[in-house]
Amino acid sequence: MKKTVKLNNGIEMPTVGYGVFQIPQEQTKQVVTEALNDGYRLIDTAAGYLNEEAVGAAINDSGINRDEIFLTTKLWVQDFGEEKAAKAIDGALKRLDQDYIDLLLLHQPFGDTYGAWRAMEKAVKAEKIRSIGVSNFQSFQVQDLMMHNEIKPVVNQIEINPLNPENKNVQWLKDNDIVPEAWGPMGQAQAGIFTNPILKKIAQDHQKTTGQIMLAWNIQRGVVVIPKSVHANRIKENFDVFDVELTDEEMKQIAQLDQNHSYFSGLLTPDTVRTLGNLKFDYQN
Ligand SMILES: NC(=O)c1ccc[n+]([C@@H]2O[C@H](COP(=O)([O-])OP(=O)(O)OC[C@H]3O[C@@H](n4cnc5c(N)ncnc54)[C@H](OP(=O)(O)O)[C@@H]3O)[C@@H](O)[C@H]2O)c1
């Protein structure tokens, strides 16, 4: 199984990363250090996770060459608009204590995303950011953004797991040379996903865990995964997936699990847009 994927700007991105959503700042340095020691080279954080300082400290103290690590962070809606986003990019660099960020994403498709995108394009030219992308965008929104701006997104990070495989969006992104990246690749451990009988049987046959099968399935269909765990054994386990090759028959069986809707987010209602649009995080730019 491939360890990296080439983005549409020629930069290589690891296919398995470590996500730090919901990990408190005080715990983050230790778990990111464990992940780096286990071989992860992609770390996924966000301004809204309030743990960028600890992610940056783990990277800086790791002894690993900076150019071997692929660091992703995200701008939150409160910083959208060109001027605010420009300031927020400098804020992120400061909190992370980095000279550059490998991938910066618009966290949500709300507010003045176009102004923020222009600031992100300028930051690419200023070599503060290497690649820019989006998250939680519908494919029509990605199409519109790339039609009316200069730099095309390299990635759309969306919820993708066996219960919600997002087949149409994944195919559209691949057809347009944009890498689909799965958040919640193990369904945030909800909806009985770890005890699903089909996934369990396939896991047994490969002498792997259910979690490893969920990750391998996504990687095999060209989707980057960023599992999160705070447990050392699971952090290690979630990276030990490169030797799994699922058969066509197994891929078909997993395809049958499609529930055709999100169990975990459901962002497309006026209520959630209002809630997320009003959500403010307490970090300093
Ligand atoms: N762009 C966005 O809007 C967005 C939204 C959500 C997430 N994300 C990103 O995607 C990353 C991953 O998504 P996620 O954290 O929401 O969900 P996830 O990775 O699908 O699932 C995490 C859950 O699974 C458990 N888990 C992890 N590995 C396991 C294993 N091997 N066996 C059993 N249970 C396991 C974890 O528990 P323990 O920690 O207790 O092990 C945690 O409860 C995030 O950290 C974040 O970087 C982005």
Side-chain angles (χ1 to χ4, degrees), residues 18-23 43-46 49 74 76 105-108 134-136 157-161 182-190 194 209-212 214-215 225-231 233-235 237-238 267:
Y18 179 64
V20 297
F21 178 44
Q22 292 176 323
I23 305 183
I43 309 294
D44 182 272
T45 182
Y49 299 172
K74 314 182 191 85
W76 186 248
L105 305 179
L106 287 171
H107 205 147
Q108 297 288 352
V134 295
S135 178
N136 297 308
Q157 185 183 115
I158 53 177
E159 177 202 333
I160 310 175
N161 56 64
W183 68 253
M186 296 181 298
Q188 299 191 337
Q190 294 183 45
F194 275 97
T209 65
T210 318
Q212 288 170 322
M214 287 188 244
L215 299 173
V225 292
I226 43 169
K228 168 261 173 189
S229 175
V230 292
H231 295 100
N233 58 328
R234 292 176 176 176
I235 297 174
E237 174 188 318
N238 294 343
L267 293 176

Side-chain angles (χ1 to χ4, degrees), residues 75 79-86 89 104 106 112-122 132:
L75 295 183
D79 288 322
F80 290 1
E82 189 164 347
E83 251 177 62
K84 280 197 278 181
I89 291 167
L104 182 69
L106 287 171
D112 185 3
T113 49
Y114 282 75
W117 193 257
R118 284 192 293 278
M120 289 159 72
E121 291 178 331
K122 284 183 180 157
I132 55 178

Side-chain angles (χ1 to χ4, degrees), residues 164-181:
N164 185 33
E166 291 283 0
N167 293 326
K168 266 167 82 174
N169 287 324
V170 165
Q171 193 55 53
W172 184 86
L173 290 165
K174 291 202 302 197
D175 289 346
N176 284 277
D177 200 11
I178 298 169
V179 170
E181 183 178 22

